[in-house]
Amino acid sequence: MALRALVGCKRVIDYAVRVRVKPDKTGVVTDGVKHSMNPFDEIAVEEAVRLKEKKVVSEIIAVSCGPAQCQETLRTAMAMGADKAIHVEIPSPQYETLQPIHIAKIMAKLATDQKADIVILGKQAIDDDCNQTAQMTAAFLDWPQGVFASKIDKEGDGLTVMREIDGGLETIKVKLPAVISADLRLNEPRYATLPNIMKAKKKPLDKKTPADLGVDLKPRIQVLSVEDPPVREAGAKVADVDELISRLKALGRI
Ligand code: AMP
C-alpha cells in the first residue's frame, strides 16, 4: 500500500541574505528581505517526490505555518511535485514567538487528521537552528523517528534509514508510520519548471488556524536579546614561526 506523506515547508530568510539584527535587539530584520523555502525542506519535498516516483508514496501534502506569504512557499513545493498544501495561518506578532513545540503539535495533529504514514521535515530551520521539530513531532505521535537521514528505502512494512551521525553513518530500520528529518546529502532538490509552476497554481491549498487544530501558541521561552556575532578582527602576516610565537606571547594568547 502506498504511503501518504506530510512534508514541512518553512518560509525562512533566504540563505544568501546577510541577516541584520534589529536596532532594539528583539530579533532580526525581516521586512523587505528575500525569503525562500528552508533548504532542508526543499530536500524533504524532493525526497517525498522521489518516493512518489518510485510508487512508495501516493500523495504528498505540504504544510507551512506562518504569515500569508507562506502560500508562496507552498506553491513552490507543489511546483516541485507536492499534490496539495495546507497553510496554517499564524500572523505576526504570534509568529515571532512561535517555537518548535508549537509546530510539532500542529504537525502531529495534521498527520493524524490527514492519515499520513510518513512525516518528512527538514533536519533544522536555518533561521532558528533549533533541530527540534521532527523529534518532538515523533514524540507527540508516539511514532519512531529517523532523523538526519541521508538515504531512505522502503523495506517490507518499514523504512531503512541511513543517518548522518558524528564521524560516520548509522543505518536503522523504522516501522511505519514514522517521522523522518532530511539531512543535506539525502538528495539534490530539483528546480521547479515553468509548466509545473503554472500547474501548481491550480493545486488545492487549504487554510487552517492553530485554533482549528486545537493548538495553543503560548510561548514557552522569552527572547531576551538577539546580538550580532563579534566582528572579526583583521589578520596580520608574520615572517616566520619565531615571529608568530613572540607576537602571540605579546598578545597573551600563549
Ligand atoms: P527546527 O526544529 O525549527 O529547526 O525545524 C525543523 C523542521 O521543522 C524544518 O526544517 C521544517 O521542516 C519544520 N518546520 C519548522 N517550522 C516550520 C513552519 N513554520 N512551517 C512548516 N514547517 C516547519
Side-chain angles (χ1 to χ4, degrees), residues 73-254:
T73 314
L74 290 170
R75 292 286 170 208
T76 305
M78 290 192 282
M80 286 174 71
D83 298 287
K84 60 180 195 177
I86 301 173
H87 173 213
V88 181
E89 291 183 272
I90 309 174
S92 314
Q94 254 177 331
Y95 187 61
E96 266 98 80
T97 57
L98 208 66
Q99 288 153 16
I101 193 162
H102 306 121
I103 304 292
K105 285 183 182 173
I106 291 171
M107 291 292 174
K109 178 73 167 78
L110 287 175
T112 310
D113 291 355
Q114 297 291 320
K115 299 187 172 47
D117 307 284
I118 177 168
V119 175
I120 314 180
L121 304 180
K123 78 158 175 183
Q124 75 191 60
I126 62 162
D127 50 1
D128 62 24
D129 272 348
C130 278
N131 172 17
Q132 297 168 11
T133 310
Q135 296 86 336
M136 286 188 186
T137 305
F140 282 126
L141 288 164
D142 200 14
W143 290 3
Q145 56 180 282
V147 291
F148 307 110
S150 64
K151 194 166 183 289
I152 303 171
D153 287 304
K154 175 99 189 327
E155 214 183 280
D157 56 359
L159 297 174
T160 311
V161 182
M162 192 190 274
R163 306 184 52 234
E164 306 234 353
I165 57 168
D166 260 2
L169 295 167
E170 177 187 57
T171 305
I172 58 167
K173 247 178 119 168
V174 293
K175 285 193 180 146
L176 287 165
V179 178
I180 301 293
S181 84
D183 211 321
L184 194 63
R185 276 168 282 269
L186 183 59
N187 59 51
E188 257 186 54
R190 70 196 63 193
Y191 289 105
T193 60
L194 190 59
N196 285 344
I197 293 171
M198 300 312 288
K199 267 191 236 160
K201 289 186 203 269
K202 297 204 185 79
K203 290 189 180 177
L205 194 159
D206 205 3
K207 279 194 249 171
K208 294 204 182 293
T209 65
D212 294 338
L213 304 169
V215 177
D216 171 13
L217 301 184
K218 206 162 82 228
R220 306 288 185 92
I221 60 166
Q222 187 190 355
V223 176
L224 300 180
S225 161
V226 177
E227 318 257 345
D228 270 314
V231 180
R232 227 176 129 184
E233 288 169 33
K237 276 194 179 164
V238 288
D240 50 30
V241 174
D242 290 341
E243 192 190 339
L244 174 66
I245 291 173
S246 61
R247 287 253 218 135
L248 286 174
K249 275 190 181 154
L251 290 168
R253 301 268 170 93
I254 54 171

Side-chain angles (χ1 to χ4, degrees), residues 11 35 37 68-78 205:
R11 175 180 178 269
H35 283 68
M37 192 189 306
Q69 299 94 316
C70 289
Q71 292 184 17
E72 294 160 24
T73 314
L74 290 170
R75 292 286 170 208
T76 305
M78 290 192 282
L205 194 159

